[in-house]
Amino acid sequence: MSMRRTTTTRRAMTAVTLTAALALALAGCGDDGGDEPGNEGSSAPSAPASPSAEDKGDSQQEDTAAGENVDPGAKLAEARGQSGLTLVINQVKRDSGGFVTVQGEIKNGGSSTQNTSNWVGQESALVAKNPNSVAGATLVDKGGKKNYYVLRDTDGRCLCTTAIVPLSPGESASVFMQFPAPPAETTEVDFTLPTFATTSLKISG
């Protein structure tokens, strides 16, 4: 039986912080200029805005976790990773606040313990603020030729699962990521997470 390891839910997020995070992420949604979406040539998100006075008072990394009311038995998509890792997507939901939440589970089906540090990507700002997270995930709207990156608050912390410990054989971790929502007419996107294969997702809601 898989052991689930989840981080605790961030206790509060003010409307100002969420609005700032959404505006920041929308600024980072890059037009790939006609290149194949999802490749390394896609534009990177803009650097995070300077933290507000309120945010500066809270410099400690806060853990975040997947939301509630997600059916762990649902399997909307699956992406294979390295060394026996598998990512199963359980929910892809468009929310009224103007963002899309992706939730799933990463399981180690291999024979050795797997590090989780590569899933944050290579952007230095993300690595510094969100170690051992899934902040490197991206949604790719091939029709609109845009990439959508994980939302961040004004202190550069992702709206995603962080502090994921190494996974021993047979163990799993529940994860979530929030992105700015593509246009309403976009109902299908490609999902990428570093070290995992790209998979197609249908957006509900």
Side-chain angles (χ1 to χ4, degrees), residues 70-153:
V70 176
D71 180 4
K75 184 177 179 180
L76 304 183
E78 180 178 291
R80 297 285 181 176
Q82 299 175 346
S83 304
L85 289 173
T86 303
L87 167 62
V88 173
I89 302 297
N90 306 125
Q91 185 179 81
V92 184
K93 185 177 181 181
R94 187 188 298 269
D95 296 294
S96 59
F99 49 89
V100 169
T101 302
V102 177
Q103 303 196 60
E105 181 180 75
I106 298 175
K107 181 176 181 178
N108 181 6
S111 58
S112 60
T113 298
Q114 296 300 311
N115 200 331
T116 63
S117 61
N118 292 327
W119 305 336
V120 68
Q122 298 182 348
E123 185 187 338
S124 58
L126 278 179
V127 174
K129 292 287 187 178
N130 307 280
N132 300 308
S133 72
V134 287
T138 307
L139 296 183
V140 181
D141 176 4
K142 292 187 292 186
K145 295 184 178 181
K146 285 186 179 294
N147 294 347
Y148 295 86
Y149 301 94
V150 174
L151 288 164
R152 310 177 205 177
D153 65 17

